[in-house]
Amino acid sequence: ASTTNTAHASWWTSDAFNSAHYSQATITSNANGVYQGVAVRVAGTDNGSNVSGYFFYSAPDDGCFIDGYNAGSFIGGASLAGPGTAFAVNDVVRLEIDAAGNLVGKVNGVTRLSVNNTVLSGGAAGVSAYGGSASARLNNWEGGNVSAAAATSFPPVRRGRLWRRKL
């Protein structure tokens, strides 16, 4: 999580992703006012205002949302979906996107939010955070491609190194 009131995104840069991919992580701790979650179709440059992606994130005192950012600005001016029930510690959160732009936010394998948006293409899987506390944590991150027929992941699954960018 971020340590200042700044949004951050980190994403996998070692491999290319298909247009249909996912990002998944386990919530290991959270804090009121600190949003954290997973992201798909993330791309950008070192300049935080150029970061784009779709984000499925939550704060315990506000609920969960699916948001889209294009070059650092909200797509549509507000959240694409939400609020839904906030993530809890030990929840496994997952955001999937298919080639048609269907976004599905899942918690412990159950759909919590869904929406369609086709503004962004390309990009990679990653994580995101916003808030003034370092007490929120994600663990066991993975991202990979999604098969069109089953909407489940298939090898290779990516784990590990992420590139951090300010939103």
Side-chain angles (χ1 to χ4, degrees):
S2 65
T3 56
T4 62
N5 284 325
T6 305
H8 295 276
S10 299
W11 60 95
W12 186 262
T13 60
S14 295
D15 301 291
F17 286 85
N18 294 337
S19 61
H21 60 268
Y22 76 95
S23 179
Q24 177 176 296
T26 303
I27 304 296
T28 56
S29 67
N30 56 21
N32 287 340
V34 179
Y35 296 84
Q36 63 179 341
V38 291
V40 295
R41 292 198 180 165
V42 187
T45 65
D46 286 333
N47 181 347
S49 65
N50 288 326
V51 174
S52 299
Y54 295 110
F55 304 91
F56 180 46
Y57 61 89
S58 170
D61 56 341
D62 196 27
C64 69
F65 303 86
I66 295 176
D67 283 348
Y69 290 90
N70 189 6
S73 296
F74 271 113
I75 294 172
S79 293
L80 299 173
T85 304
F87 306 156
V89 172
N90 296 320
D91 279 349
V92 175
V93 298
R94 180 180 175 113
L95 181 60
E96 297 178 356
I97 190 163
D98 65 18
N102 295 306
L103 292 144
V104 179
K106 297 181 180 181
V107 178
N108 300 321
V110 177
T111 298
R112 176 109 6 128
L113 296 173
S114 62
V115 67
N116 178 276
N117 191 279
T118 58
V119 170
L120 302 176
S121 61
V127 297
S128 66
Y130 172 86
S133 171
S135 61
R137 299 270 190 265
L138 298 170
N139 201 359
N140 299 321
W141 178 83
E142 66 180 57
N145 294 321
V146 174
S147 69
T152 57
S153 62
F154 61 92
V157 170
R158 284 103 169 146
R159 291 182 185 259
R161 297 179 311 240
L162 296 171
W163 185 254
R164 182 174 173 244
R165 303 278 195 212
K166 235 173 135 173
L167 291 179

